[in-house]
Amino acid sequence: MEEKKKFYTLLVYSENIAGILNQITAVFTRRQVNIESLNVSASSIPGVHKYTITAWSDEDQIVKITRQIEKKIDVVKANYFTDDQLFIRESGLYKLATEKVMENSEISRTIRRHDASIIEVNPTYVIVMKYGITEDIISLYRALDAFGCVLQYTRSGRIAVTRGMQEQVSEFLEQREQNRQ
């Protein structure tokens, strides 16, 4: 019986080396697992970058992917998580037709009900921004799209931190340093 797929977030920490992103994404490609979102940024540890990658997979497959990524020479640490183990946020940008927004006050009420912000208004378009969880970002898009006013829409990749006191890679690096002494 096939195990049901779940949505996983991988947090991968590596040195800032050219080509490491290609090596990481190749692991997913070889296992035919599609990456849903990818966000790369500096981490709280100097010289270490953090990759936040989301994908639908079964646990057996995600464990194998995580192990393969961790074997890469420039990868410091890789872990996988389910949503309940992380604090997660995304942002969404919505470009709306100014004319339609001005004609229909329900559009502005919808923006306020979804706790989004209007960040720019000009004669051609209105830019709306929303921070939150994926479902909230998509929900606002669907609500605005129903008015036929959306010109463009995009969401950021997921950003996430663990619910623990520090990044798990910090514990790993401390342990590695102690072992060297």
Side-chain angles (χ1 to χ4, degrees):
M1 191 165 126
E2 189 176 310
E3 191 178 346
K4 189 172 182 190
K5 290 188 177 192
K6 290 184 188 173
F7 197 64
Y8 289 98
T9 300
L10 278 77
L11 299 181
V12 179
Y13 299 88
S14 78
E15 297 178 36
N16 188 16
I17 305 295
I20 190 69
L21 178 59
N22 187 46
Q23 291 177 43
I24 291 169
T25 58
V27 173
F28 286 87
T29 303
R30 279 193 300 276
R31 296 218 170 250
Q32 297 182 349
V33 173
N34 187 47
I35 293 174
E36 294 293 324
S37 72
L38 172 65
N39 184 302
V40 182
S41 66
S43 74
S44 60
I45 301 159
V48 175
H49 274 59
K50 180 178 183 178
Y51 299 73
T52 305
I53 306 166
T54 62
W56 287 95
S57 181
D58 58 61
E59 188 169 15
D60 182 54
Q61 183 85 291
I62 211 73
V63 166
K64 290 175 183 172
I65 288 170
T66 304
R67 285 186 189 145
Q68 283 187 309
I69 290 171
E70 224 170 25
K71 288 179 185 175
K72 303 295 177 193
I73 196 158
D74 297 316
V75 170
V76 177
K77 187 79 177 140
N79 292 307
Y80 67 93
F81 301 90
T82 55
D83 285 0
D84 61 326
Q85 298 171 302
L86 298 169
F87 183 79
I88 300 162
R89 287 294 178 264
E90 288 185 14
S91 60
L93 280 176
Y94 314 80
K95 187 179 197 179
L96 313 178
T98 301
E99 183 180 334
K100 291 190 179 189
V101 173
M102 300 304 271
E103 289 172 357
N104 188 345
S105 60
E106 190 57 34
I107 296 172
S108 294
R109 282 193 282 279
T110 299
I111 293 166
R112 285 192 300 277
R113 266 196 309 274
H114 282 84
D115 293 322
S117 302
I118 295 173
I119 57 173
E120 183 176 335
V121 178
N122 69 42
T124 309
Y125 58 83
V126 174
I127 301 292
V128 175
M129 179 173 254
K130 166 98 179 113
Y131 296 104
I133 60 174
T134 308
E135 293 78 14
D136 294 344
I137 305 290
I138 293 169
S139 174
L140 176 56
Y141 167 72
R142 288 184 179 138
L144 293 171
D145 194 46
F147 293 112
C149 64
V150 178
L151 300 173
Q152 292 180 39
Y153 159 72
T154 189
R155 330 187 305 246
S156 69
R158 172 177 281 194
I159 57 172
V161 292
T162 61
R163 295 204 177 262
M165 290 298 288
Q166 62 181 352
E167 295 190 73
Q168 289 184 339
V169 72
S170 299
E171 296 167 13
F172 173 80
L173 290 172
E174 288 170 12
Q175 190 73 20
R176 188 170 79 176
E177 191 60 37
Q178 288 174 359
N179 291 342
R180 285 183 180 165
Q181 296 173 358

